[in-house]
Amino acid sequence: MPPLTPGAYLKMRRCAAGLSVADVAAKIATAPRLAEHARAELIDLIEADAAPASFETIVVLSNVYWFDFDVLATLVRAALGADLKLPRICRICGCSDRDPCVQDVALVGQAVCEWVNVDLCSSCATPGAYA
């Protein structure tokens, strides 16, 4: 299986947060100002790895949904050809050892998932078990 791309990781984390592209586009601001439909198109391009995300865009996205900067940076480095060990990431929700599933965003650090397979967390293996 090919390594997860940076855009696919961001998409997985957005979906795990229960947000659509339109939800995120409505919550972010851009400079220069883009219309909401143009922000949604930009998010689609980033998630398809068809356009790079600037550092500012990554920071803005992190204000809307949780993802780990180090995991994202490692995936970007790998996509650019670096030979390095990739983080363990759930194939469904995109959680990792650095950012496990949590019950509440306010409780970051209080993990409610563990690994049940090399690329599957317990939250995704048994949906609703931690709701």
Side-chain angles (χ1 to χ4, degrees):
M1 171 183 285
L4 188 64
T5 66
Y9 171 69
L10 289 172
K11 182 176 183 176
M12 291 171 81
R13 298 307 291 152
R14 175 184 55 75
C15 291
L19 298 169
S20 68
V21 169
D23 294 334
V24 175
K27 293 180 181 196
I28 64 172
T30 57
R33 181 160 163 61
L34 295 175
E36 195 169 314
H37 74 279
R39 293 191 304 265
E41 289 172 10
L42 177 60
I43 293 165
D44 281 332
L45 288 171
I46 290 169
E47 290 182 354
D49 296 293
S54 69
F55 181 74
E56 290 82 3
T57 300
I58 292 166
V59 171
V60 167
L61 292 175
S62 75
N63 289 329
V64 179
Y65 60 95
W66 175 257
F67 55 88
D68 187 272
F69 281 82
D70 288 334
V71 169
L72 181 60
T74 300
L75 294 173
V76 169
R77 289 178 63 214
L80 294 173
D83 184 24
L84 46 88
K85 183 176 186 225
L86 295 175
R88 188 176 193 181
I89 299 172
C90 177
R91 69 176 180 262
I92 295 174
C93 72
C95 75
S96 71
D97 289 329
R98 296 186 54 90
D99 61 335
C101 296
V102 294
Q103 285 181 311
D104 186 321
V105 175
L107 300 175
V108 171
Q110 295 187 17
V112 297
C113 76
E114 56 191 29
W115 295 109
V116 297
N117 199 332
V118 69
D119 64 350
L120 184 64
C121 77
S122 56
S123 291
C124 293
T126 54
Y130 299 103

Short mmCIF file of all heavy atoms in Angstrom, two decimals, residues 9-82:
data_model
loop_
_atom_site.label_atom_id
_atom_site.label_comp_id
_atom_site.label_asym_id
_atom_site.label_seq_id
_atom_site.Cartn_x
_atom_site.Cartn_y
_atom_site.Cartn_z
N TYR A 9 -4.25 12.73 4.37
CA TYR A 9 -4.23 12.81 5.84
C TYR A 9 -5.14 13.95 6.32
O TYR A 9 -5.96 13.75 7.22
CB TYR A 9 -2.80 13.02 6.33
CG TYR A 9 -2.69 13.33 7.80
CD1 TYR A 9 -2.99 12.37 8.76
CD2 TYR A 9 -2.29 14.59 8.23
CE1 TYR A 9 -2.89 12.66 10.12
CE2 TYR A 9 -2.18 14.88 9.58
CZ TYR A 9 -2.49 13.91 10.53
OH TYR A 9 -2.40 14.21 11.86
N LEU A 10 -5.02 15.12 5.71
CA LEU A 10 -5.87 16.24 6.11
C LEU A 10 -7.35 15.92 5.89
O LEU A 10 -8.19 16.25 6.73
CB LEU A 10 -5.47 17.51 5.34
CG LEU A 10 -4.13 18.12 5.74
CD1 LEU A 10 -3.76 19.24 4.78
CD2 LEU A 10 -4.16 18.62 7.18
N LYS A 11 -7.65 15.26 4.79
CA LYS A 11 -9.04 14.89 4.50
C LYS A 11 -9.56 13.90 5.55
O LYS A 11 -10.69 14.04 6.05
CB LYS A 11 -9.16 14.28 3.10
CG LYS A 11 -10.57 13.91 2.73
CD LYS A 11 -10.65 13.40 1.31
CE LYS A 11 -12.08 13.09 0.91
NZ LYS A 11 -12.17 12.68 -0.50
N MET A 12 -8.73 12.92 5.90
CA MET A 12 -9.15 11.94 6.91
C MET A 12 -9.43 12.62 8.25
O MET A 12 -10.42 12.30 8.92
CB MET A 12 -8.07 10.87 7.08
CG MET A 12 -7.93 9.95 5.89
SD MET A 12 -6.48 8.89 6.03
CE MET A 12 -7.12 7.63 7.10
N ARG A 13 -8.57 13.54 8.65
CA ARG A 13 -8.74 14.23 9.93
C ARG A 13 -9.97 15.13 9.89
O ARG A 13 -10.71 15.24 10.87
CB ARG A 13 -7.48 15.01 10.30
CG ARG A 13 -6.25 14.13 10.49
CD ARG A 13 -6.47 12.97 11.46
NE ARG A 13 -6.63 13.47 12.81
CZ ARG A 13 -7.33 12.86 13.75
NH1 ARG A 13 -7.94 11.72 13.51
NH2 ARG A 13 -7.43 13.38 14.94
N ARG A 14 -10.23 15.78 8.73
CA ARG A 14 -11.44 16.61 8.60
C ARG A 14 -12.68 15.74 8.73
O ARG A 14 -13.61 16.07 9.47
CB ARG A 14 -11.44 17.34 7.25
CG ARG A 14 -12.74 18.11 7.00
CD ARG A 14 -12.78 18.75 5.63
NE ARG A 14 -12.56 17.86 4.51
CZ ARG A 14 -13.45 16.99 4.02
NH1 ARG A 14 -14.64 16.86 4.58
NH2 ARG A 14 -13.15 16.24 2.98
N CYS A 15 -12.69 14.63 8.03
CA CYS A 15 -13.84 13.72 8.08
C CYS A 15 -14.02 13.15 9.48
O CYS A 15 -15.15 13.01 9.96
CB CYS A 15 -13.69 12.61 7.05
SG CYS A 15 -13.82 13.18 5.34
N ALA A 16 -12.92 12.82 10.15
CA ALA A 16 -13.00 12.29 11.52
C ALA A 16 -13.60 13.32 12.46
O ALA A 16 -14.25 12.97 13.46
CB ALA A 16 -11.62 11.87 12.01
N ALA A 17 -13.43 14.60 12.15
CA ALA A 17 -14.01 15.68 12.96
C ALA A 17 -15.49 15.90 12.61
O ALA A 17 -16.15 16.74 13.22
CB ALA A 17 -13.23 16.97 12.77
N GLY A 18 -15.97 15.16 11.60
CA GLY A 18 -17.38 15.29 11.22
C GLY A 18 -17.67 16.54 10.40
O GLY A 18 -18.80 17.01 10.39
N LEU A 19 -16.66 17.05 9.72
CA LEU A 19 -16.82 18.29 8.95
C LEU A 19 -16.77 18.03 7.46
O LEU A 19 -15.96 17.22 6.99
CB LEU A 19 -15.70 19.27 9.32
CG LEU A 19 -15.66 19.74 10.76
CD1 LEU A 19 -14.36 20.49 11.03
CD2 LEU A 19 -16.87 20.60 11.08
N SER A 20 -17.60 18.72 6.72
CA SER A 20 -17.54 18.67 5.26
C SER A 20 -16.59 19.76 4.77
O SER A 20 -16.19 20.65 5.54
CB SER A 20 -18.93 18.92 4.66
OG SER A 20 -19.33 20.27 4.91
N VAL A 21 -16.24 19.71 3.50
CA VAL A 21 -15.42 20.77 2.92
C VAL A 21 -16.14 22.10 3.07
O VAL A 21 -15.52 23.12 3.42
CB VAL A 21 -15.09 20.46 1.44
CG1 VAL A 21 -14.47 21.67 0.76
CG2 VAL A 21 -14.17 19.26 1.34
N ALA A 22 -17.44 22.11 2.84
CA ALA A 22 -18.21 23.35 2.97
C ALA A 22 -18.17 23.88 4.40
O ALA A 22 -18.09 25.10 4.61
CB ALA A 22 -19.65 23.12 2.52
N ASP A 23 -18.23 22.99 5.39
CA ASP A 23 -18.15 23.42 6.79
C ASP A 23 -16.83 24.15 7.05
O ASP A 23 -16.81 25.21 7.67
CB ASP A 23 -18.21 22.22 7.74
CG ASP A 23 -19.55 21.49 7.74
OD1 ASP A 23 -20.58 22.12 7.42
OD2 ASP A 23 -19.54 20.28 8.04
N VAL A 24 -15.74 23.56 6.58
CA VAL A 24 -14.42 24.15 6.81
C VAL A 24 -14.31 25.47 6.05
O VAL A 24 -13.84 26.47 6.59
CB VAL A 24 -13.29 23.18 6.42
CG1 VAL A 24 -11.93 23.84 6.55
CG2 VAL A 24 -13.36 21.92 7.28
N ALA A 25 -14.75 25.48 4.80
CA ALA A 25 -14.67 26.71 3.99
C ALA A 25 -15.43 27.85 4.65
O ALA A 25 -15.01 29.01 4.58
CB ALA A 25 -15.21 26.44 2.59
N ALA A 26 -16.53 27.54 5.31
CA ALA A 26 -17.32 28.57 5.98
C ALA A 26 -16.63 29.11 7.23
O ALA A 26 -16.92 30.23 7.67
CB ALA A 26 -18.70 28.02 6.35
N LYS A 27 -15.71 28.34 7.80
CA LYS A 27 -15.08 28.72 9.06
C LYS A 27 -13.70 29.35 8.92
O LYS A 27 -13.13 29.79 9.90
CB LYS A 27 -14.96 27.49 9.97
CG LYS A 27 -16.30 26.96 10.41
CD LYS A 27 -16.12 25.76 11.30
CE LYS A 27 -17.50 25.24 11.72
NZ LYS A 27 -17.42 24.33 12.84
N ILE A 28 -13.15 29.36 7.71
CA ILE A 28 -11.80 29.89 7.55
C ILE A 28 -11.82 31.23 6.81
O ILE A 28 -12.76 31.54 6.08
CB ILE A 28 -10.86 28.91 6.82
CG1 ILE A 28 -11.31 28.65 5.39
CG2 ILE A 28 -10.72 27.62 7.61
CD1 ILE A 28 -10.33 27.83 4.56
N ALA A 29 -10.76 31.98 7.01
CA ALA A 29 -10.57 33.24 6.28
C ALA A 29 -9.29 33.09 5.46
O ALA A 29 -8.41 32.31 5.81
CB ALA A 29 -10.43 34.39 7.26
N THR A 30 -9.22 33.80 4.38
CA THR A 30 -8.03 33.76 3.54
C THR A 30 -7.54 35.19 3.29
O THR A 30 -8.30 36.14 3.38
CB THR A 30 -8.32 33.08 2.18
OG1 THR A 30 -9.40 33.79 1.55
CG2 THR A 30 -8.67 31.63 2.33
N ALA A 31 -6.27 35.29 2.98
CA ALA A 31 -5.70 36.58 2.60
C ALA A 31 -4.88 36.34 1.34
O ALA A 31 -3.93 35.56 1.39
CB ALA A 31 -4.82 37.13 3.71
N PRO A 32 -5.25 36.90 0.21
CA PRO A 32 -6.39 37.79 0.03
C PRO A 32 -7.71 37.06 0.18
O PRO A 32 -7.76 35.84 0.06
CB PRO A 32 -6.22 38.31 -1.40
CG PRO A 32 -5.44 37.25 -2.10
CD PRO A 32 -4.55 36.63 -1.05
N ARG A 33 -8.74 37.81 0.45
CA ARG A 33 -10.06 37.23 0.70
C ARG A 33 -10.56 36.48 -0.52
O ARG A 33 -10.55 36.99 -1.64
CB ARG A 33 -11.04 38.34 1.07
CG ARG A 33 -12.42 37.82 1.37
CD ARG A 33 -13.20 38.81 2.19
NE ARG A 33 -14.63 38.57 2.20
CZ ARG A 33 -15.23 37.49 2.65
NH1 ARG A 33 -14.53 36.48 3.08
NH2 ARG A 33 -16.55 37.39 2.66
N LEU A 34 -10.99 35.24 -0.28
CA LEU A 34 -11.61 34.42 -1.32
C LEU A 34 -13.06 34.17 -0.95
O LEU A 34 -13.40 34.05 0.23
CB LEU A 34 -10.90 33.06 -1.44
CG LEU A 34 -9.45 33.04 -1.90
CD1 LEU A 34 -8.91 31.62 -1.83
CD2 LEU A 34 -9.33 33.59 -3.30
N ALA A 35 -13.90 34.06 -1.96
CA ALA A 35 -15.30 33.70 -1.73
C ALA A 35 -15.35 32.29 -1.15
O ALA A 35 -14.43 31.49 -1.34
CB ALA A 35 -16.08 33.77 -3.03
N GLU A 36 -16.42 31.99 -0.44
CA GLU A 36 -16.54 30.68 0.21
C GLU A 36 -16.41 29.52 -0.77
O GLU A 36 -15.76 28.53 -0.48
CB GLU A 36 -17.88 30.60 0.96
CG GLU A 36 -17.95 29.47 1.93
CD GLU A 36 -19.15 29.56 2.85
OE1 GLU A 36 -19.42 30.64 3.39
OE2 GLU A 36 -19.83 28.52 2.99
N HIS A 37 -17.00 29.64 -1.96
CA HIS A 37 -16.88 28.55 -2.94
C HIS A 37 -15.43 28.38 -3.40
O HIS A 37 -14.98 27.26 -3.65
CB HIS A 37 -17.83 28.76 -4.13
CG HIS A 37 -17.38 29.82 -5.09
ND1 HIS A 37 -17.60 31.16 -4.86
CD2 HIS A 37 -16.69 29.74 -6.25
CE1 HIS A 37 -17.09 31.86 -5.85
NE2 HIS A 37 -16.53 31.03 -6.71
N ALA A 38 -14.68 29.47 -3.48
CA ALA A 38 -13.27 29.38 -3.87
C ALA A 38 -12.44 28.76 -2.75
O ALA A 38 -11.50 28.00 -3.01
CB ALA A 38 -12.73 30.76 -4.23
N ARG A 39 -12.80 29.04 -1.49
CA ARG A 39 -12.12 28.40 -0.36
C ARG A 39 -12.37 26.90 -0.38
O ARG A 39 -11.47 26.10 -0.14
CB ARG A 39 -12.57 29.02 0.96
CG ARG A 39 -12.12 30.46 1.13
CD ARG A 39 -12.32 31.00 2.53
NE ARG A 39 -13.67 30.92 3.05
CZ ARG A 39 -14.56 31.90 3.02
NH1 ARG A 39 -14.25 33.07 2.47
NH2 ARG A 39 -15.75 31.74 3.54
N ALA A 40 -13.61 26.50 -0.70
CA ALA A 40 -13.94 25.07 -0.79
C ALA A 40 -13.14 24.41 -1.91
O ALA A 40 -12.64 23.29 -1.75
CB ALA A 40 -15.44 24.88 -1.01
N GLU A 41 -13.02 25.09 -3.04
CA GLU A 41 -12.23 24.54 -4.15
C GLU A 41 -10.77 24.39 -3.75
O GLU A 41 -10.13 23.38 -4.09
CB GLU A 41 -12.34 25.45 -5.38
CG GLU A 41 -13.71 25.41 -6.04
CD GLU A 41 -13.87 26.45 -7.14
OE1 GLU A 41 -12.87 27.11 -7.53
OE2 GLU A 41 -15.00 26.62 -7.61
N LEU A 42 -10.23 25.35 -3.01
CA LEU A 42 -8.84 25.26 -2.55
C LEU A 42 -8.66 24.07 -1.60
O LEU A 42 -7.70 23.32 -1.72
CB LEU A 42 -8.43 26.56 -1.85
CG LEU A 42 -7.03 26.57 -1.24
CD1 LEU A 42 -5.97 26.35 -2.32
CD2 LEU A 42 -6.79 27.88 -0.50
N ILE A 43 -9.60 23.88 -0.70
CA ILE A 43 -9.53 22.73 0.22
C ILE A 43 -9.57 21.42 -0.57
O ILE A 43 -8.79 20.51 -0.30
CB ILE A 43 -10.67 22.80 1.27
CG1 ILE A 43 -10.46 23.99 2.19
CG2 ILE A 43 -10.76 21.49 2.07
CD1 ILE A 43 -11.69 24.35 3.02
N ASP A 44 -10.45 21.34 -1.54
CA ASP A 44 -10.52 20.14 -2.39
C ASP A 44 -9.18 19.88 -3.09
O ASP A 44 -8.72 18.73 -3.14
CB ASP A 44 -11.62 20.27 -3.45
CG ASP A 44 -13.01 20.00 -2.91
OD1 ASP A 44 -13.14 19.23 -1.93
OD2 ASP A 44 -13.98 20.55 -3.47
N LEU A 45 -8.57 20.93 -3.60
CA LEU A 45 -7.27 20.78 -4.29
C LEU A 45 -6.18 20.33 -3.32
O LEU A 45 -5.36 19.47 -3.65
CB LEU A 45 -6.88 22.09 -4.96
CG LEU A 45 -7.68 22.48 -6.20
CD1 LEU A 45 -7.33 23.91 -6.64
CD2 LEU A 45 -7.46 21.50 -7.33
N ILE A 46 -6.16 20.90 -2.13
CA ILE A 46 -5.16 20.51 -1.13
C ILE A 46 -5.35 19.06 -0.74
O ILE A 46 -4.39 18.29 -0.68
CB ILE A 46 -5.24 21.44 0.10
CG1 ILE A 46 -4.74 22.84 -0.27
CG2 ILE A 46 -4.45 20.86 1.27
CD1 ILE A 46 -5.04 23.90 0.78
N GLU A 47 -6.60 18.66 -0.49
CA GLU A 47 -6.87 17.28 -0.09
C GLU A 47 -6.60 16.27 -1.20
O GLU A 47 -6.34 15.10 -0.93
CB GLU A 47 -8.30 17.15 0.42
CG GLU A 47 -8.52 17.86 1.75
CD GLU A 47 -9.91 17.72 2.31
OE1 GLU A 47 -10.80 17.15 1.62
OE2 GLU A 47 -10.13 18.16 3.45
N ALA A 48 -6.63 16.72 -2.44
CA ALA A 48 -6.32 15.84 -3.58
C ALA A 48 -4.83 15.90 -3.92
O ALA A 48 -4.40 15.29 -4.90
CB ALA A 48 -7.16 16.24 -4.79
N ASP A 49 -4.06 16.63 -3.13
CA ASP A 49 -2.62 16.83 -3.37
C ASP A 49 -2.37 17.47 -4.74
O ASP A 49 -1.32 17.28 -5.33
CB ASP A 49 -1.85 15.52 -3.23
CG ASP A 49 -1.92 14.99 -1.81
OD1 ASP A 49 -1.36 15.64 -0.91
OD2 ASP A 49 -2.56 13.94 -1.60
N ALA A 50 -3.34 18.24 -5.22
CA ALA A 50 -3.21 18.93 -6.50
C ALA A 50 -2.70 20.36 -6.31
O ALA A 50 -2.31 21.01 -7.27
CB ALA A 50 -4.55 18.95 -7.23
N ALA A 51 -2.71 20.84 -5.07
CA ALA A 51 -2.18 22.17 -4.74
C ALA A 51 -1.54 22.07 -3.37
O ALA A 51 -2.08 21.42 -2.47
CB ALA A 51 -3.30 23.21 -4.73
N PRO A 52 -0.38 22.70 -3.21
CA PRO A 52 0.26 22.67 -1.89
C PRO A 52 -0.46 23.60 -0.92
O PRO A 52 -1.05 24.60 -1.32
CB PRO A 52 1.68 23.16 -2.17
CG PRO A 52 1.54 24.04 -3.38
CD PRO A 52 0.41 23.43 -4.19
N ALA A 53 -0.40 23.25 0.34
CA ALA A 53 -0.96 24.11 1.38
C ALA A 53 0.16 24.96 1.95
O ALA A 53 1.20 24.43 2.33
CB ALA A 53 -1.60 23.28 2.48
N SER A 54 -0.04 26.25 1.99
CA SER A 54 0.97 27.12 2.60
C SER A 54 0.95 26.89 4.11
O SER A 54 -0.01 26.34 4.67
CB SER A 54 0.66 28.59 2.30
OG SER A 54 -0.52 28.99 3.00
N PHE A 55 2.01 27.32 4.77
CA PHE A 55 2.05 27.20 6.23
C PHE A 55 0.87 27.93 6.86
O PHE A 55 0.23 27.41 7.78
CB PHE A 55 3.38 27.74 6.79
CG PHE A 55 3.47 27.60 8.27
CD1 PHE A 55 3.69 26.37 8.86
CD2 PHE A 55 3.32 28.71 9.10
CE1 PHE A 55 3.76 26.23 10.24
CE2 PHE A 55 3.39 28.58 10.48
CZ PHE A 55 3.62 27.34 11.05
N GLU A 56 0.54 29.09 6.34
CA GLU A 56 -0.59 29.85 6.87
C GLU A 56 -1.89 29.08 6.72
O GLU A 56 -2.73 29.06 7.62
CB GLU A 56 -0.69 31.22 6.18
CG GLU A 56 0.42 32.18 6.52
CD GLU A 56 1.70 31.97 5.71
OE1 GLU A 56 1.74 31.09 4.81
OE2 GLU A 56 2.68 32.68 6.00
N THR A 57 -2.07 28.42 5.58
CA THR A 57 -3.29 27.63 5.35
C THR A 57 -3.36 26.47 6.34
O THR A 57 -4.42 26.19 6.90
CB THR A 57 -3.33 27.12 3.90
OG1 THR A 57 -3.33 28.23 3.02
CG2 THR A 57 -4.57 26.27 3.66
N ILE A 58 -2.23 25.82 6.58
CA ILE A 58 -2.20 24.71 7.54
C ILE A 58 -2.59 25.19 8.93
O ILE A 58 -3.38 24.55 9.62
CB ILE A 58 -0.81 24.04 7.53
CG1 ILE A 58 -0.59 23.33 6.18
CG2 ILE A 58 -0.66 23.06 8.69
CD1 ILE A 58 0.84 22.92 5.93
N VAL A 59 -2.06 26.34 9.33
CA VAL A 59 -2.40 26.89 10.64
C VAL A 59 -3.89 27.22 10.71
O VAL A 59 -4.57 26.89 11.69
CB VAL A 59 -1.54 28.13 10.96
CG1 VAL A 59 -2.04 28.83 12.21
CG2 VAL A 59 -0.08 27.72 11.12
N VAL A 60 -4.43 27.82 9.66
CA VAL A 60 -5.85 28.16 9.64
C VAL A 60 -6.70 26.89 9.73
O VAL A 60 -7.67 26.84 10.49
CB VAL A 60 -6.20 28.99 8.37
CG1 VAL A 60 -7.70 29.08 8.17
CG2 VAL A 60 -5.59 30.38 8.47
N LEU A 61 -6.33 25.85 8.98
CA LEU A 61 -7.08 24.59 9.04
C LEU A 61 -7.01 23.98 10.45
O LEU A 61 -8.01 23.45 10.94
CB LEU A 61 -6.55 23.59 8.01
CG LEU A 61 -6.79 23.94 6.55
CD1 LEU A 61 -6.11 22.92 5.65
CD2 LEU A 61 -8.28 24.04 6.24
N SER A 62 -5.86 24.10 11.10
CA SER A 62 -5.72 23.53 12.44
C SER A 62 -6.59 24.24 13.47
O SER A 62 -6.84 23.70 14.55
CB SER A 62 -4.26 23.54 12.89
OG SER A 62 -3.84 24.84 13.26
N ASN A 63 -7.05 25.43 13.16
CA ASN A 63 -7.97 26.13 14.05
C ASN A 63 -9.40 25.60 13.91
O ASN A 63 -10.26 25.91 14.74
CB ASN A 63 -7.96 27.63 13.77
CG ASN A 63 -6.68 28.29 14.23
OD1 ASN A 63 -6.06 27.87 15.19
ND2 ASN A 63 -6.27 29.33 13.52
N VAL A 64 -9.66 24.83 12.86
CA VAL A 64 -11.00 24.30 12.60
C VAL A 64 -11.12 22.84 13.00
O VAL A 64 -12.14 22.41 13.53
CB VAL A 64 -11.39 24.50 11.11
CG1 VAL A 64 -12.77 23.94 10.83
CG2 VAL A 64 -11.31 25.96 10.72
N TYR A 65 -10.07 22.05 12.76
CA TYR A 65 -10.10 20.64 13.15
C TYR A 65 -8.70 20.19 13.53
O TYR A 65 -7.71 20.78 13.11
CB TYR A 65 -10.70 19.75 12.05
CG TYR A 65 -9.98 19.75 10.73
CD1 TYR A 65 -9.02 18.78 10.44
CD2 TYR A 65 -10.26 20.71 9.75
CE1 TYR A 65 -8.36 18.77 9.21
CE2 TYR A 65 -9.61 20.70 8.53
CZ TYR A 65 -8.67 19.74 8.27
OH TYR A 65 -8.01 19.73 7.08
N TRP A 66 -8.64 19.15 14.36
CA TRP A 66 -7.38 18.69 14.92
C TRP A 66 -6.64 17.77 13.97
O TRP A 66 -7.20 16.84 13.42
CB TRP A 66 -7.64 17.96 16.23
CG TRP A 66 -6.40 17.35 16.79
CD1 TRP A 66 -6.03 16.04 16.76
CD2 TRP A 66 -5.32 18.03 17.43
NE1 TRP A 66 -4.81 15.86 17.33
CE2 TRP A 66 -4.34 17.07 17.76
CE3 TRP A 66 -5.06 19.36 17.75
CZ2 TRP A 66 -3.15 17.40 18.40
CZ3 TRP A 66 -3.88 19.68 18.39
CH2 TRP A 66 -2.95 18.71 18.70
N PHE A 67 -5.35 18.04 13.79
CA PHE A 67 -4.41 17.13 13.15
C PHE A 67 -3.05 17.43 13.75
O PHE A 67 -2.83 18.48 14.35
CB PHE A 67 -4.40 17.25 11.62
CG PHE A 67 -4.14 18.63 11.10
CD1 PHE A 67 -2.85 19.07 10.87
CD2 PHE A 67 -5.19 19.50 10.81
CE1 PHE A 67 -2.60 20.35 10.38
CE2 PHE A 67 -4.95 20.77 10.32
CZ PHE A 67 -3.65 21.20 10.11
N ASP A 68 -2.13 16.50 13.59
CA ASP A 68 -0.82 16.65 14.19
C ASP A 68 0.15 17.25 13.17
O ASP A 68 0.34 16.69 12.09
CB ASP A 68 -0.32 15.29 14.68
CG ASP A 68 0.96 15.42 15.46
OD1 ASP A 68 2.03 15.39 14.82
OD2 ASP A 68 0.89 15.57 16.69
N PHE A 69 0.76 18.37 13.51
CA PHE A 69 1.70 19.05 12.62
C PHE A 69 2.89 18.15 12.28
O PHE A 69 3.36 18.15 11.15
CB PHE A 69 2.21 20.36 13.25
CG PHE A 69 1.25 21.50 13.15
CD1 PHE A 69 0.21 21.63 14.05
CD2 PHE A 69 1.39 22.46 12.16
CE1 PHE A 69 -0.68 22.69 13.96
CE2 PHE A 69 0.51 23.52 12.06
CZ PHE A 69 -0.54 23.64 12.96
N ASP A 70 3.40 17.42 13.26
CA ASP A 70 4.56 16.56 13.01
C ASP A 70 4.22 15.42 12.05
O ASP A 70 5.03 15.07 11.18
CB ASP A 70 5.12 15.99 14.31
CG ASP A 70 5.83 17.05 15.14
OD1 ASP A 70 6.31 18.04 14.56
OD2 ASP A 70 5.88 16.90 16.37
N VAL A 71 3.04 14.84 12.21
CA VAL A 71 2.61 13.78 11.28
C VAL A 71 2.49 14.36 9.88
O VAL A 71 2.99 13.78 8.91
CB VAL A 71 1.29 13.13 11.75
CG1 VAL A 71 0.71 12.23 10.66
CG2 VAL A 71 1.48 12.36 13.04
N LEU A 72 1.86 15.52 9.76
CA LEU A 72 1.71 16.16 8.45
C LEU A 72 3.08 16.47 7.84
O LEU A 72 3.33 16.18 6.67
CB LEU A 72 0.87 17.43 8.55
CG LEU A 72 0.61 18.17 7.24
CD1 LEU A 72 -0.13 17.29 6.24
CD2 LEU A 72 -0.15 19.45 7.50
N ALA A 73 3.99 17.01 8.63
CA ALA A 73 5.34 17.34 8.13
C ALA A 73 6.07 16.08 7.67
O ALA A 73 6.75 16.10 6.63
CB ALA A 73 6.14 18.06 9.20
N THR A 74 5.93 15.00 8.39
CA THR A 74 6.57 13.75 7.99
C THR A 74 6.01 13.25 6.67
O THR A 74 6.75 12.80 5.79
CB THR A 74 6.40 12.68 9.09
OG1 THR A 74 7.00 13.17 10.29
CG2 THR A 74 7.04 11.36 8.70
N LEU A 75 4.70 13.34 6.50
CA LEU A 75 4.08 12.91 5.24
C LEU A 75 4.52 13.80 4.08
O LEU A 75 4.73 13.31 2.96
CB LEU A 75 2.56 12.90 5.37
CG LEU A 75 2.00 11.87 6.35
CD1 LEU A 75 0.50 12.06 6.53
CD2 LEU A 75 2.32 10.46 5.90
N VAL A 76 4.68 15.10 4.32
CA VAL A 76 5.15 16.01 3.28
C VAL A 76 6.59 15.64 2.90
O VAL A 76 6.92 15.55 1.71
CB VAL A 76 5.06 17.49 3.73
CG1 VAL A 76 5.80 18.40 2.75
CG2 VAL A 76 3.61 17.92 3.87
N ARG A 77 7.43 15.42 3.90
CA ARG A 77 8.82 15.05 3.62
C ARG A 77 8.89 13.75 2.82
O ARG A 77 9.68 13.63 1.88
CB ARG A 77 9.60 14.92 4.93
CG ARG A 77 9.85 16.26 5.60
CD ARG A 77 10.58 16.15 6.92
NE ARG A 77 11.91 15.59 6.70
CZ ARG A 77 12.52 14.79 7.57
NH1 ARG A 77 11.94 14.45 8.70
NH2 ARG A 77 13.73 14.34 7.31
N ALA A 78 8.06 12.78 3.18
CA ALA A 78 8.03 11.51 2.45
C ALA A 78 7.57 11.72 1.00
O ALA A 78 8.13 11.14 0.07
CB ALA A 78 7.13 10.51 3.16
N ALA A 79 6.57 12.58 0.83
CA ALA A 79 6.07 12.86 -0.52
C ALA A 79 7.14 13.54 -1.38
O ALA A 79 7.15 13.40 -2.60
CB ALA A 79 4.82 13.73 -0.45
N LEU A 80 8.05 14.24 -0.72
CA LEU A 80 9.14 14.92 -1.43
C LEU A 80 10.35 14.02 -1.63
O LEU A 80 11.38 14.46 -2.13
CB LEU A 80 9.54 16.20 -0.68
CG LEU A 80 8.48 17.29 -0.65
CD1 LEU A 80 8.91 18.43 0.27
CD2 LEU A 80 8.17 17.80 -2.05
N GLY A 81 10.23 12.77 -1.21
CA GLY A 81 11.28 11.80 -1.47
C GLY A 81 12.18 11.44 -0.32
O GLY A 81 13.13 10.67 -0.50
N ALA A 82 11.94 11.99 0.86
CA ALA A 82 12.78 11.66 2.01
C ALA A 82 12.58 10.20 2.40
O ALA A 82 11.45 9.69 2.39
CB ALA A 82 12.46 12.56 3.19
#
